[in-house]
Coordinates of all heavy atoms in Angstrom, one line a residue:
L1 N 54.9 -56.3 10.9 CA 53.9 -56.4 12.0 C 53.2 -55.1 12.3 O 53.9 -54.1 12.4 CB 54.7 -56.9 13.3 CG 53.8 -57.9 14.2 CD1 54.3 -59.3 13.9 CD2 54.0 -57.5 15.6
L2 N 52.0 -55.2 12.4 CA 51.2 -54.0 12.6 C 51.2 -53.6 14.1 O 51.2 -54.4 15.0 CB 49.7 -54.2 12.2 CG 49.4 -54.1 10.7 CD1 47.9 -54.5 10.5 CD2 49.6 -52.7 10.2
K3 N 51.3 -52.3 14.3 CA 51.3 -51.8 15.6 C 49.8 -51.8 16.1 O 48.9 -51.8 15.2 CB 51.8 -50.4 15.7 CG 53.3 -50.4 15.7 CD 53.9 -49.0 15.8 CE 55.4 -48.9 15.7 NZ 55.9 -47.6 15.4
K4 N 49.6 -51.9 17.3 CA 48.2 -52.0 17.9 C 47.4 -50.8 17.4 O 46.2 -50.9 17.0 CB 48.3 -52.0 19.4 CG 47.0 -52.6 20.0 CD 47.1 -52.6 21.5 CE 45.8 -53.1 22.1 NZ 45.8 -53.1 23.6
H5 N 48.0 -49.6 17.4 CA 47.3 -48.4 17.0 C 46.8 -48.5 15.5 O 45.6 -48.2 15.2 CB 48.2 -47.2 17.1 CG 47.7 -45.9 16.6 ND1 46.7 -45.3 17.4 CD2 47.9 -45.2 15.5 CE1 46.4 -44.2 16.7 NE2 47.1 -44.1 15.6
A6 N 47.6 -49.0 14.6 CA 47.3 -49.1 13.2 C 46.2 -50.2 13.1 O 45.3 -50.0 12.3 CB 48.5 -49.5 12.4
A7 N 46.3 -51.3 13.8 CA 45.3 -52.4 13.7 C 43.9 -51.8 14.1 O 42.9 -52.2 13.5 CB 45.7 -53.5 14.6
R8 N 43.9 -51.0 15.2 CA 42.6 -50.5 15.6 C 42.1 -49.5 14.6 O 40.9 -49.4 14.4 CB 42.8 -49.8 17.0 CG 43.2 -50.7 18.1 CD 43.4 -50.0 19.4 NE 42.1 -50.1 20.1 CZ 41.8 -49.3 21.1 NH1 42.6 -48.3 21.5 NH2 40.7 -49.4 21.8
E9 N 42.9 -48.8 13.9 CA 42.5 -47.8 12.9 C 41.8 -48.6 11.8 O 40.8 -48.2 11.3 CB 43.7 -47.0 12.4 CG 43.4 -45.6 12.3 CD 44.7 -44.7 12.2 OE1 45.4 -44.8 11.2 OE2 45.0 -44.1 13.2
I10 N 42.5 -49.7 11.4 CA 41.9 -50.5 10.3 C 40.6 -51.1 10.7 O 39.6 -51.2 10.0 CB 42.9 -51.6 9.9 CG1 44.1 -51.0 9.2 CG2 42.3 -52.7 9.0 CD1 45.4 -51.9 9.1
A11 N 40.5 -51.6 12.0 CA 39.3 -52.2 12.5 C 38.1 -51.1 12.5 O 37.0 -51.5 12.1 CB 39.5 -52.6 14.0
M12 N 38.5 -49.9 12.9 CA 37.4 -48.9 12.9 C 36.9 -48.6 11.4 O 35.8 -48.4 11.2 CB 38.1 -47.6 13.5 CG 37.1 -46.6 13.9 SD 36.0 -47.1 15.3 CE 34.4 -46.8 14.6
E13 N 37.9 -48.7 10.5 CA 37.5 -48.4 9.1 C 36.6 -49.5 8.6 O 35.6 -49.3 7.9 CB 38.8 -48.5 8.3 CG 38.8 -47.5 7.1 CD 40.2 -47.5 6.4 OE1 41.0 -46.8 6.9 OE2 40.3 -48.2 5.4
R14 N 36.9 -50.8 9.0 CA 36.1 -51.9 8.6 C 34.7 -51.8 9.2 O 33.7 -52.1 8.6 CB 36.7 -53.2 9.1 CG 37.8 -53.7 8.2 CD 38.3 -55.1 8.6 NE 37.3 -56.1 8.4 CZ 37.4 -57.3 9.0 NH1 38.4 -57.6 9.8 NH2 36.5 -58.2 8.8
I15 N 34.6 -51.3 10.5 CA 33.3 -51.2 11.1 C 32.5 -50.1 10.4 O 31.3 -50.4 10.1 CB 33.6 -50.8 12.6 CG1 34.1 -51.9 13.4 CG2 32.3 -50.3 13.3 CD1 34.8 -51.5 14.7
T16 N 33.1 -49.0 10.1 CA 32.4 -48.0 9.4 C 31.8 -48.5 8.0 O 30.7 -48.2 7.7 CB 33.3 -46.8 9.1 OG1 34.0 -46.4 10.3 CG2 32.6 -45.5 8.6
I17 N 32.6 -49.2 7.3 CA 32.2 -49.8 6.0 C 31.0 -50.8 6.2 O 30.0 -50.7 5.5 CB 33.4 -50.4 5.3 CG1 34.4 -49.3 4.8 CG2 32.9 -51.2 4.0 CD1 35.7 -49.8 4.4
L18 N 31.2 -51.6 7.2 CA 30.2 -52.7 7.5 C 28.8 -52.0 7.9 O 27.8 -52.4 7.4 CB 30.6 -53.6 8.6 CG 31.5 -54.7 8.3 CD1 32.1 -55.3 9.5 CD2 30.7 -55.8 7.5
V19 N 28.9 -51.0 8.7 CA 27.6 -50.3 9.1 C 27.0 -49.6 7.9 O 25.8 -49.7 7.8 CB 27.9 -49.4 10.3 CG1 26.7 -48.5 10.6 CG2 28.3 -50.2 11.5
A20 N 27.8 -49.0 7.1 CA 27.3 -48.3 5.9 C 26.6 -49.3 5.0 O 25.5 -49.0 4.5 CB 28.5 -47.6 5.2
H21 N 27.2 -50.4 4.8 CA 26.6 -51.5 4.0 C 25.3 -52.0 4.6 O 24.3 -52.2 3.9 CB 27.6 -52.6 3.8 CG 28.6 -52.4 2.8 ND1 29.3 -53.4 2.2 CD2 29.1 -51.2 2.2 CE1 30.2 -52.8 1.3 NE2 30.0 -51.5 1.3
A22 N 25.3 -52.2 5.9 CA 24.2 -52.7 6.6 C 23.0 -51.7 6.5 O 21.8 -52.2 6.3 CB 24.5 -52.9 8.1
L23 N 23.3 -50.5 6.5 CA 22.2 -49.5 6.4 C 21.6 -49.5 5.0 O 20.4 -49.2 4.8 CB 22.7 -48.1 6.7 CG 22.9 -47.7 8.1 CD1 23.6 -46.4 8.3 CD2 21.5 -47.6 8.8
Q24 N 22.4 -49.9 4.0 CA 21.9 -49.8 2.6 C 21.3 -51.2 2.2 O 20.7 -51.3 1.1 CB 23.0 -49.4 1.6 CG 23.3 -47.9 1.7 CD 24.6 -47.6 1.0 OE1 25.2 -48.4 0.3 NE2 25.1 -46.4 1.3
E25 N 21.6 -52.2 3.0 CA 21.3 -53.6 2.6 C 19.8 -53.8 2.6 O 19.1 -53.4 3.5 CB 21.9 -54.5 3.6 CG 21.7 -56.0 3.3 CD 22.1 -56.4 1.9 OE1 23.3 -56.2 1.6 OE2 21.3 -56.9 1.2
Q26 N 19.3 -54.4 1.5 CA 17.8 -54.6 1.4 C 17.4 -55.8 2.2 O 16.3 -55.9 2.7 CB 17.4 -54.8 0.0 CG 17.7 -53.5 -0.9 CD 16.9 -52.3 -0.4 OE1 15.7 -52.4 -0.2 NE2 17.6 -51.2 -0.2
D27 N 18.3 -56.8 2.3 CA 18.0 -58.0 3.0 C 18.3 -57.8 4.5 O 19.4 -57.6 4.9 CB 19.0 -59.1 2.4 CG 18.7 -60.5 3.0 OD1 18.0 -60.6 4.1 OD2 19.1 -61.5 2.4
P28 N 17.2 -57.9 5.3 CA 17.4 -57.6 6.7 C 18.3 -58.6 7.4 O 19.0 -58.3 8.4 CB 16.0 -57.7 7.3 CG 15.2 -58.4 6.2 CD 15.8 -58.1 4.9
L29 N 18.4 -59.9 6.9 CA 19.2 -60.8 7.5 C 20.7 -60.5 7.3 O 21.6 -60.6 8.2 CB 18.9 -62.3 7.0 CG 17.7 -63.0 7.6 CD1 17.5 -64.3 6.9 CD2 17.9 -63.2 9.1
L30 N 21.0 -60.1 6.1 CA 22.4 -59.7 5.7 C 22.8 -58.4 6.5 O 23.9 -58.3 7.0 CB 22.4 -59.4 4.2 CG 23.0 -60.5 3.4 CD1 22.9 -60.2 1.9 CD2 24.5 -60.7 3.8
A31 N 21.8 -57.5 6.6 CA 22.1 -56.2 7.3 C 22.4 -56.5 8.8 O 23.4 -56.0 9.3 CB 20.9 -55.3 7.2
T32 N 21.7 -57.4 9.4 CA 21.9 -57.8 10.8 C 23.2 -58.5 10.9 O 24.0 -58.2 11.9 CB 20.8 -58.7 11.3 OG1 19.5 -58.1 11.1 CG2 20.9 -59.1 12.7
A33 N 23.6 -59.3 10.0 CA 24.8 -60.1 10.0 C 26.0 -59.1 9.9 O 27.0 -59.2 10.7 CB 24.9 -61.1 8.9
Q34 N 25.9 -58.1 9.1 CA 27.0 -57.1 8.9 C 27.1 -56.3 10.1 O 28.2 -56.0 10.6 CB 26.7 -56.2 7.7 CG 26.9 -57.0 6.4 CD 26.4 -56.2 5.2 OE1 25.4 -55.5 5.2 NE2 27.0 -56.4 4.0
A35 N 26.0 -55.9 10.7 CA 26.0 -55.1 11.9 C 26.6 -55.8 13.1 O 27.3 -55.3 13.9 CB 24.6 -54.6 12.2
K36 N 26.2 -57.1 13.2 CA 26.8 -57.9 14.2 C 28.3 -58.1 14.1 O 29.0 -58.0 15.1 CB 26.1 -59.3 14.2 CG 24.9 -59.5 15.1 CD 24.5 -61.0 15.1 CE 23.3 -61.1 16.0 NZ 22.7 -62.5 15.8
L37 N 28.7 -58.3 12.9 CA 30.2 -58.4 12.7 C 30.9 -57.1 13.1 O 32.0 -57.2 13.7 CB 30.4 -58.7 11.2 CG 31.8 -59.0 10.8 CD1 32.4 -60.2 11.5 CD2 31.9 -59.3 9.3
A38 N 30.3 -56.0 12.7 CA 30.9 -54.7 13.1 C 31.0 -54.6 14.6 O 32.1 -54.1 15.1 CB 30.0 -53.6 12.6
K39 N 30.0 -55.0 15.3 CA 30.1 -54.9 16.8 C 31.1 -55.9 17.4 O 31.8 -55.6 18.3 CB 28.7 -55.2 17.4 CG 28.5 -54.4 18.6 CD 27.1 -54.4 19.0 CE 26.9 -53.3 20.1 NZ 25.7 -53.4 20.8
K40 N 31.2 -57.0 16.7 CA 32.2 -58.0 17.1 C 33.6 -57.5 17.0 O 34.5 -57.7 17.9 CB 32.0 -59.3 16.3 CG 32.2 -60.6 17.0 CD 31.8 -61.7 16.1 CE 32.4 -63.0 16.4 NZ 32.1 -64.1 15.5
I41 N 33.9 -56.8 15.9 CA 35.2 -56.3 15.7 C 35.5 -55.2 16.7 O 36.6 -55.1 17.3 CB 35.3 -55.7 14.2 CG1 35.2 -56.8 13.2 CG2 36.6 -54.9 14.0 CD1 34.9 -56.2 11.7
A42 N 34.5 -54.4 17.0 CA 34.6 -53.3 18.0 C 35.0 -53.9 19.3 O 35.8 -53.4 20.1 CB 33.3 -52.5 18.1
M43 N 34.3 -55.0 19.7 CA 34.6 -55.6 21.0 C 36.0 -56.2 21.0 O 36.7 -56.1 22.1 CB 33.5 -56.7 21.3 CG 32.3 -56.1 21.9 SD 30.9 -57.3 21.9 CE 31.5 -58.4 23.1
R44 N 36.4 -56.8 20.0 CA 37.7 -57.5 19.9 C 38.8 -56.5 20.1 O 39.8 -56.7 20.7 CB 37.8 -58.3 18.6 CG 38.8 -59.4 18.8 CD 38.8 -60.3 17.6 NE 39.6 -59.7 16.5 CZ 39.4 -60.1 15.2 NH1 38.5 -61.0 14.9 NH2 40.1 -59.5 14.3
F45 N 38.6 -55.3 19.5 CA 39.6 -54.3 19.5 C 39.4 -53.3 20.6 O 40.1 -52.3 20.7 CB 39.8 -53.6 18.2 CG 40.4 -54.4 17.1 CD1 39.7 -55.3 16.3 CD2 41.8 -54.4 16.9 CE1 40.3 -56.1 15.4 CE2 42.4 -55.2 16.0 CZ 41.7 -56.0 15.2
Q46 N 38.3 -53.5 21.4 CA 37.9 -52.7 22.5 C 37.8 -51.2 22.0 O 38.3 -50.3 22.6 CB 38.9 -52.8 23.6 CG 38.9 -54.1 24.3 CD 40.0 -54.3 25.4 OE1 41.2 -54.1 25.1 NE2 39.6 -54.6 26.6
L47 N 37.1 -51.1 20.9 CA 36.9 -49.8 20.3 C 35.5 -49.2 20.8 O 34.6 -50.0 21.0 CB 36.8 -49.9 18.8 CG 38.1 -50.2 18.1 CD1 37.9 -50.5 16.7 CD2 39.1 -49.0 18.2
K48 N 35.5 -47.9 21.1 CA 34.3 -47.3 21.4 C 33.7 -46.8 20.1 O 34.3 -46.0 19.4 CB 34.6 -46.1 22.4 CG 33.3 -45.7 23.1 CD 33.7 -44.8 24.3 CE 32.5 -44.7 25.2 NZ 31.6 -43.6 24.8
L49 N 32.5 -47.2 19.8 CA 31.9 -46.8 18.6 C 31.4 -45.4 18.7 O 30.9 -44.9 19.7 CB 30.7 -47.7 18.3 CG 31.0 -49.2 17.9 CD1 29.7 -50.0 17.8 CD2 31.8 -49.3 16.6
P50 N 31.5 -44.7 17.6 CA 31.1 -43.3 17.6 C 29.5 -43.3 17.8 O 28.8 -44.2 17.5 CB 31.4 -42.7 16.2 CG 31.8 -43.9 15.4 CD 32.2 -45.0 16.3
Y51 N 29.0 -42.2 18.3 CA 27.6 -42.0 18.7 C 26.7 -42.4 17.5 O 25.7 -43.1 17.7 CB 27.4 -40.6 19.2 CG 26.0 -40.5 19.7 CD1 25.5 -41.1 20.9 CD2 25.0 -39.7 19.0 CE1 24.2 -41.0 21.3 CE2 23.7 -39.6 19.4 CZ 23.3 -40.2 20.6 OH 22.0 -40.1 21.0
A52 N 27.1 -41.9 16.3 CA 26.3 -42.1 15.1 C 26.0 -43.6 14.9 O 25.0 -44.0 14.4 CB 26.9 -41.5 13.9
I53 N 27.0 -44.4 15.2 CA 26.9 -45.9 15.0 C 26.2 -46.5 16.2 O 25.3 -47.4 16.1 CB 28.3 -46.5 14.7 CG1 28.8 -46.0 13.4 CG2 28.2 -48.0 14.8 CD1 30.2 -46.6 13.0
R54 N 26.6 -46.1 17.4 CA 26.0 -46.7 18.6 C 24.5 -46.5 18.7 O 23.8 -47.4 19.1 CB 26.6 -46.0 19.9 CG 27.7 -46.8 20.5 CD 28.2 -46.2 21.8 NE 28.7 -44.8 21.6 CZ 28.5 -43.8 22.4 NH1 27.8 -43.9 23.5 NH2 29.1 -42.7 22.2
Q55 N 24.0 -45.4 18.1 CA 22.5 -45.2 18.2 C 21.8 -46.1 17.2 O 20.5 -46.2 17.2 CB 22.2 -43.7 17.9 CG 22.5 -43.3 16.5 CD 22.0 -41.9 16.2 OE1 21.6 -41.2 17.0 NE2 22.2 -41.5 14.9
L56 N 22.5 -46.8 16.4 CA 21.8 -47.8 15.5 C 21.6 -49.1 16.1 O 21.0 -50.0 15.5 CB 22.7 -47.9 14.2 CG 22.9 -46.7 13.4 CD1 23.9 -46.9 12.3 CD2 21.6 -46.2 12.7
Y57 N 22.1 -49.3 17.3 CA 21.8 -50.5 18.0 C 20.9 -50.3 19.2 O 21.0 -49.3 19.9 CB 23.1 -51.1 18.6 CG 24.1 -51.5 17.5 CD1 25.0 -50.6 17.0 CD2 24.1 -52.8 17.0 CE1 25.9 -51.0 16.0 CE2 25.0 -53.2 16.0 CZ 25.9 -52.3 15.5 OH 26.8 -52.7 14.6
C58 N 19.9 -51.1 19.4 CA 18.9 -51.0 20.5 C 19.7 -51.2 21.8 O 20.5 -52.1 21.9 CB 17.8 -52.0 20.3 SG 16.7 -52.0 21.8
K59 N 19.4 -50.3 22.8 CA 20.1 -50.4 24.0 C 19.6 -51.6 24.8 O 20.3 -52.0 25.8 CB 19.9 -49.1 24.8 CG 20.7 -48.0 24.3 CD 20.4 -46.7 24.9 CE 21.2 -45.6 24.4 NZ 21.0 -45.4 22.9
K60 N 18.5 -52.2 24.5 CA 18.0 -53.3 25.3 C 18.3 -54.7 24.6 O 19.0 -55.5 25.2 CB 16.5 -53.2 25.5 CG 16.0 -54.0 26.6 CD 14.5 -53.9 26.8 CE 14.1 -54.8 27.9 NZ 12.6 -54.8 28.0
C61 N 17.9 -54.9 23.4 CA 18.1 -56.2 22.7 C 19.4 -56.2 21.9 O 19.7 -57.2 21.4 CB 16.9 -56.6 21.9 SG 16.6 -55.5 20.4
K62 N 20.1 -55.1 21.9 CA 21.4 -54.9 21.2 C 21.3 -55.2 19.7 O 22.3 -55.5 19.0 CB 22.4 -55.9 21.8 CG 22.5 -55.9 23.3 CD 23.1 -54.6 23.8 CE 23.1 -54.6 25.4 NZ 23.2 -53.3 25.9
M63 N 20.1 -55.2 19.1 CA 19.9 -55.5 17.7 C 20.1 -54.3 16.9 O 20.0 -53.1 17.4 CB 18.5 -56.1 17.5 CG 18.3 -57.5 18.0 SD 19.3 -58.7 17.1 CE 18.2 -59.0 15.7
F64 N 20.5 -54.5 15.7 CA 20.7 -53.4 14.8 C 19.4 -52.9 14.3 O 18.5 -53.6 13.9 CB 21.5 -53.9 13.6 CG 21.9 -52.8 12.6 CD1 22.8 -51.8 13.0 CD2 21.4 -52.8 11.3 CE1 23.2 -50.9 12.1 CE2 21.8 -51.8 10.4 CZ 22.7 -50.9 10.8
I65 N 19.1 -51.6 14.5 CA 17.8 -51.1 14.2 C 18.0 -49.9 13.2 O 18.7 -48.9 13.4 CB 17.0 -50.6 15.4 CG1 17.8 -49.8 16.4 CG2 16.3 -51.8 16.1 CD1 17.0 -49.2 17.5
I66 N 17.4 -50.1 12.0 CA 17.5 -49.1 11.0 C 16.4 -48.1 11.2 O 15.3 -48.4 11.3 CB 17.4 -49.7 9.6 CG1 18.5 -50.8 9.3 CG2 17.4 -48.7 8.5 CD1 18.4 -51.6 8.1
P67 N 16.9 -46.8 11.3 CA 15.8 -45.8 11.6 C 14.8 -45.8 10.5 O 15.0 -45.8 9.3 CB 16.6 -44.5 11.5 CG 18.1 -44.9 11.8 CD 18.2 -46.3 11.2
G68 N 13.5 -45.8 11.0 CA 12.4 -45.8 10.1 C 12.0 -47.1 9.6 O 11.0 -47.3 8.9
K69 N 12.8 -48.2 9.9 CA 12.5 -49.5 9.4 C 12.3 -50.4 10.6 O 11.3 -51.0 10.8 CB 13.7 -50.0 8.6 CG 13.3 -51.1 7.6 CD 14.5 -51.3 6.6 CE 14.1 -52.4 5.6 NZ 15.3 -52.7 4.8
H70 N 13.3 -50.5 11.5 CA 13.2 -51.3 12.7 C 13.0 -50.5 13.9 O 12.9 -51.0 15.0 CB 14.4 -52.2 12.9 CG 14.7 -53.1 11.7 ND1 15.9 -53.0 11.1 CD2 13.9 -54.0 11.1 CE1 15.9 -53.9 10.1 NE2 14.7 -54.5 10.0
S71 N 12.9 -49.2 13.7 CA 12.7 -48.3 14.8 C 11.7 -47.2 14.4 O 11.7 -46.8 13.2 CB 13.9 -47.7 15.4 OG 14.5 -46.8 14.4
R72 N 10.9 -46.7 15.4 CA 10.0 -45.6 15.1 C 10.5 -44.4 15.8 O 10.9 -44.5 17.0 CB 8.6 -46.0 15.6 CG 7.5 -45.1 15.1 CD 6.2 -45.7 15.4 NE 6.1 -46.0 16.8 CZ 5.5 -47.1 17.4 NH1 5.0 -48.0 16.6 NH2 5.4 -47.2 18.6
V73 N 10.7 -43.4 15.1 CA 11.2 -42.1 15.6 C 10.1 -41.1 15.8 O 9.4 -40.8 14.8 CB 12.4 -41.6 14.8 CG1 12.9 -40.3 15.4 CG2 13.4 -42.6 14.6
R74 N 9.9 -40.7 17.0 CA 8.9 -39.7 17.2 C 9.5 -38.4 17.8 O 10.3 -38.5 18.8 CB 7.8 -40.2 18.3 CG 6.9 -41.2 17.7 CD 5.7 -40.6 17.1 NE 5.0 -41.5 16.2 CZ 4.1 -42.4 16.7 NH1 3.9 -42.6 18.0 NH2 3.5 -43.2 15.8
I75 N 9.2 -37.3 17.3 CA 9.8 -36.1 17.8 C 8.9 -35.6 18.9 O 7.7 -35.5 18.8 CB 9.9 -35.0 16.7 CG1 11.0 -35.6 15.7 CG2 10.3 -33.7 17.2 CD1 10.9 -34.9 14.3
G76 N 9.5 -35.3 20.0 CA 8.8 -34.8 21.2 C 8.4 -33.4 21.1 O 8.4 -32.8 20.1
R77 N 7.9 -32.9 22.2 CA 7.5 -31.5 22.3 C 8.6 -30.6 21.9 O 9.8 -30.8 22.2 CB 7.0 -31.1 23.7 CG 5.6 -31.7 24.0 CD 5.2 -31.4 25.4 NE 4.5 -32.6 25.9 CZ 4.9 -33.3 26.9 NH1 6.0 -33.0 27.5 NH2 4.2 -34.3 27.4
S78 N 8.3 -29.5 21.2 CA 9.3 -28.7 20.6 C 10.3 -28.1 21.6 O 11.5 -28.0 21.2 CB 8.6 -27.5 19.9 OG 7.8 -26.8 20.7
E79 N 9.9 -27.9 22.8 CA 10.8 -27.3 23.8 C 11.9 -28.3 24.3 O 13.0 -27.9 24.7 CB 10.1 -26.7 24.9 CG 9.6 -25.3 24.6 CD 8.9 -24.6 25.7 OE1 9.3 -24.8 26.9 OE2 7.9 -24.0 25.4
T80 N 11.5 -29.6 24.4 CA 12.5 -30.5 24.9 C 13.6 -30.9 23.9 O 14.6 -31.3 24.3 CB 11.7 -31.8 25.4 OG1 11.0 -32.3 24.2 CG2 10.8 -31.6 26.5
R81 N 13.2 -30.7 22.7 CA 14.2 -31.0 21.6 C 14.8 -32.5 21.8 O 16.0 -32.7 21.8 CB 15.3 -30.0 21.5 CG 14.8 -28.7 21.0 CD 15.9 -27.6 20.9 NE 17.0 -28.0 20.0 CZ 16.8 -27.9 18.6 NH1 15.7 -27.5 18.1 NH2 17.8 -28.3 17.9
A82 N 13.9 -33.4 21.9 CA 14.3 -34.8 22.0 C 13.4 -35.6 21.1 O 12.3 -35.3 20.8 CB 14.1 -35.2 23.5
V83 N 14.0 -36.7 20.7 CA 13.2 -37.7 19.9 C 13.0 -39.0 20.7 O 13.9 -39.3 21.5 CB 13.8 -38.0 18.5 CG1 13.7 -36.7 17.6 CG2 15.2 -38.5 18.6
R84 N 11.9 -39.6 20.5 CA 11.7 -40.9 21.1 C 11.9 -42.0 20.1 O 11.3 -42.0 19.0 CB 10.3 -41.0 21.7 CG 10.2 -40.5 23.1 CD 8.9 -40.5 23.7 NE 8.1 -41.6 23.2 CZ 6.8 -41.7 23.3 NH1 6.1 -40.7 23.8 NH2 6.1 -42.8 22.9
I85 N 12.8 -42.9 20.4 CA 13.0 -44.0 19.4 C 12.5 -45.3 20.0 O 12.8 -45.7 21.1 CB 14.6 -44.1 19.1 CG1 15.1 -42.8 18.5 CG2 14.8 -45.3 18.2 CD1 16.6 -42.7 18.5
T86 N 11.6 -45.9 19.2 CA 11.1 -47.2 19.6 C 11.7 -48.3 18.8 O 11.6 -48.3 17.6 CB 9.5 -47.2 19.4 OG1 9.0 -46.0 20.0 CG2 8.9 -48.4 20.0
C87 N 12.2 -49.3 19.5 CA 12.7 -50.5 18.8 C 11.6 -51.4 18.4 O 10.8 -51.8 19.3 CB 13.7 -51.2 19.7 SG 14.2 -52.8 19.0
L88 N 11.4 -51.6 17.2 CA 10.2 -52.4 16.8 C 10.5 -53.9 16.9 O 9.6 -54.8 16.7 CB 9.8 -52.1 15.3 CG 9.4 -50.7 15.1 CD1 9.0 -50.5 13.6 CD2 8.2 -50.3 15.9
R89 N 11.7 -54.3 17.4 CA 12.0 -55.7 17.6 C 11.6 -56.1 19.0 O 11.0 -57.1 19.2 CB 13.5 -55.9 17.4 CG 13.9 -55.8 15.9 CD 15.4 -56.2 15.8 NE 16.1 -55.7 14.6 CZ 16.1 -56.4 13.5 NH1 15.6 -57.6 13.5 NH2 16.8 -56.0 12.5
C90 N 12.0 -55.3 20.0 CA 11.7 -55.6 21.4 C 10.7 -54.7 22.1 O 10.2 -54.9 23.2 CB 13.0 -55.8 22.2 SG 13.8 -54.2 22.6
G91 N 10.4 -53.5 21.4 CA 9.5 -52.6 22.0 C 10.1 -51.6 22.9 O 9.4 -50.8 23.5
H92 N 11.4 -51.7 23.1 CA 12.1 -50.7 24.0 C 12.0 -49.3 23.5 O 12.3 -49.1 22.3 CB 13.5 -51.2 24.2 CG 14.3 -50.4 25.2 ND1 13.9 -50.3 26.5 CD2 15.4 -49.6 25.1 CE1 14.7 -49.5 27.2 NE2 15.6 -49.1 26.3
V93 N 11.7 -48.4 24.4 CA 11.6 -47.0 24.0 C 12.7 -46.2 24.7 O 12.9 -46.3 25.9 CB 10.3 -46.3 24.3 CG1 10.2 -44.9 23.8 CG2 9.1 -47.2 23.7
Y94 N 13.5 -45.4 24.0 CA 14.4 -44.6 24.6 C 14.5 -43.2 24.0 O 14.1 -43.0 22.8 CB 15.8 -45.2 24.7 CG 16.4 -45.6 23.4 CD1 17.3 -44.8 22.7 CD2 16.1 -46.9 22.9 CE1 17.9 -45.2 21.5 CE2 16.7 -47.3 21.7 CZ 17.5 -46.5 21.0 OH 18.1 -46.8 19.8
R95 N 14.9 -42.2 24.8 CA 14.9 -40.9 24.3 C 16.3 -40.4 23.9 O 17.3 -40.9 24.5 CB 14.4 -39.9 25.5 CG 12.9 -39.6 25.4 CD 12.4 -39.2 26.7 NE 13.3 -38.3 27.4 CZ 13.1 -36.9 27.4 NH1 12.1 -36.4 26.8 NH2 13.9 -36.2 28.1
K96 N 16.3 -39.6 22.9 CA 17.5 -39.1 22.4 C 17.4 -37.6 22.4 O 16.5 -37.0 21.9 CB 17.8 -39.6 21.0 CG 19.2 -39.4 20.5 CD 19.3 -40.0 19.1 CE 19.3 -38.9 18.1 NZ 19.3 -39.4 16.7
I97 N 18.3 -37.0 23.2 CA 18.3 -35.5 23.3 C 19.0 -34.9 22.1 O 20.2 -35.3 21.8 CB 18.9 -35.0 24.6 CG1 18.4 -35.8 25.8 CG2 18.7 -33.5 24.7 CD1 16.9 -35.6 26.1
L98 N 18.4 -34.0 21.4 CA 19.0 -33.4 20.3 C 19.9 -32.2 20.7 O 19.5 -31.5 21.6 CB 18.0 -32.9 19.2 CG 17.1 -34.0 18.6 CD1 16.1 -33.4 17.7 CD2 17.9 -35.0 17.8
K99 N 21.0 -32.0 20.1 CA 21.8 -30.9 20.4 C 21.2 -29.6 19.9 O 20.7 -29.6 18.8 CB 23.2 -31.1 19.8 CG 24.1 -32.0 20.7 CD 25.4 -32.3 20.1 CE 26.0 -33.6 20.6 NZ 27.1 -34.1 19.7
Ligands
LIG1 ZN1 15.3 -53.7 21.0

């Protein structure tokens, strides 16, 4: 029997693989399905997705958005060091502050 900790570790691994596949997937329907499954696993195991993965989902429509494909990235003024990400599915715009 797997301990909860080990199960969550495996879940996280599956999520990482699913997201990596979704990013490379040419078929947008398949990519969305893989991304949805990844999120479902995260919810079931109550896992907090790492920032790199979280930013791939629109904060409004919760859809998987591939940078440069389903989202438009605009770099703001040089001093703010932030980018504006537009979800091309729902039109939601949010800012991401760069470190
Ligand atoms: Zn959206």
